């Protein structure tokens, strides 16, 4: 169920219709909730990555980091997998953007 909700959220973003981002965010959040209830860390990572990507695109860098970092930090192995690699690259990008914003705000 978690992966179906996440995929539906991704599909909602494709046409870029008004309200699509809010609907997609709701689907990603539901996917996170399902993954947590099922204790499915891999599905939780995928949902958190999708949600973080959406928040990055909305210029909500701190929110993006806050949703993805705790999920990523729970992994102890599998760092060579595509999903963890994607999450790590996104976290690095978000961290860099957050640091740049902090420097420019000073």
């Amino acid at each position: 169920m978690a992966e179906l909700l996440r995929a539906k959220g991704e599909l909602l973003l494709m046409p870029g219709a008004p309200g699509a981002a809010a609907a997609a965010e709701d689907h990603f959040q539901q996917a996170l909730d399902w993954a947590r209830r099922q204790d499915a860390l891999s599905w939780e990572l995928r949902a958190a990555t999708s949600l973080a990507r959406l928040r990055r695109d909305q210029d909500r860098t701190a929110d993006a980091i806050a949703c993805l970092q705790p999920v990523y930090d729970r992994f102890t192995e599998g760092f060579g997998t595509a999903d963890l690699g994607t999450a790590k690259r996104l976290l690095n990008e978000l961290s860099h953007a957050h640091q740049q914003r902090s420097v420019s705000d000073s």
Side-chain angles (χ1 to χ4, degrees):
M1 184 57 108
E3 181 61 4
L4 290 173
L5 287 164
R6 187 198 68 79
K8 186 173 180 182
E10 291 288 353
L11 289 172
L12 286 168
L13 290 175
M14 284 185 160
E25 185 168 3
D26 183 56
H27 279 76
F28 296 150
Q29 192 59 59
Q30 287 180 50
L32 273 170
D33 294 342
W34 270 99
R36 287 176 181 143
R37 281 195 301 265
Q38 295 174 327
D39 214 14
L41 187 56
S42 291
W43 295 133
E44 189 176 348
L45 178 70
R46 282 182 155 213
T49 300
S50 291
L51 183 56
R53 219 181 270 124
L54 174 64
R55 289 178 175 173
R56 174 204 60 197
D57 295 347
Q58 294 173 327
D59 204 25
R60 297 167 54 194
T61 307
D63 290 340
I65 294 169
C67 83
L68 183 54
Q69 189 73 59
V71 178
Y72 182 85
D73 288 345
R74 289 174 39 216
F75 281 85
T76 58
E77 61 185 1
F79 293 101
T81 64
D83 287 342
L84 280 168
T86 297
K88 181 63 175 168
R89 284 188 297 280
L90 181 55
L91 283 167
N92 288 340
E93 175 190 330
L94 292 166
S95 178
H96 180 73
H98 189 67
Q99 289 172 353
Q100 291 296 327
R101 175 169 285 134
S102 295
V103 168
S104 67
D105 289 347
S106 300

